[in-house]
Amino acid sequence: MRTMLRRAAALVAGTAAVAVLTVGTADAAPAGTSDGCPYGAVCVYPQGQNPATTPNLIFWTYGAHNLSGQYGFHWILNNQYGGARAKLCSGYNGTGTCHHDMDPQDGWWTDLTPVNSIVLYK
């Protein structure tokens, strides 16, 4: 009888572990990078770097990210997932005129001279 109870307890524990593992990975982000930009991030590449290989700015969190000293043409890559978007704005803190509303895995070769912030949102 004890052996039977131990097997039943092991089966229940094993099932619970599988259930937790399944729930824990359901919303996991894809692994890896694209053109040096980690999945889940928005990346800005150095001025004139074409093709884009190594970003010099990486943003992970939703909200406005102010830029400083970014002039001329750069690649911007929205490497987020799950419908998360990014846009470029003329003012600091996501204000002013916003453009280049980027879908996930979308990139733009654009002049950052008039851009003062990048907004990540869903």
Side-chain angles (χ1 to χ4, degrees):
M1 184 69 162
R2 285 188 183 177
T3 303
M4 202 167 170
L5 288 176
R6 285 184 194 149
R7 285 185 188 156
L11 179 62
V12 168
T15 303
V18 170
V20 169
L21 179 61
T22 303
V23 170
T25 60
D27 292 328
T33 64
S34 178
D35 298 313
C37 185
Y39 285 113
V42 171
C43 296
V44 177
Y45 295 83
Q47 180 180 2
Q49 188 181 84
N50 193 10
T53 56
T54 307
N56 62 334
L57 296 173
I58 300 173
F59 302 113
W60 292 95
T61 57
Y62 291 144
H65 300 274
N66 293 329
L67 300 179
S68 176
Q70 301 297 314
Y71 305 101
F73 281 83
H74 297 251
W75 275 108
I76 310 297
L77 175 61
N78 178 10
N79 205 25
Q80 299 179 96
Y81 52 90
R85 304 177 66 82
K87 60 185 173 183
L88 310 179
C89 299
S90 62
Y92 288 105
N93 301 314
T95 62
T97 303
C98 297
H99 57 89
H100 290 344
D101 194 359
M102 295 181 276
D103 293 321
Q105 282 76 55
D106 197 4
W108 288 88
W109 174 250
T110 191
D111 184 4
L112 287 185
T113 303
V115 176
N116 286 302
S117 61
I118 298 175
V119 179
L120 283 61
Y121 68 100
K122 189 165 184 180

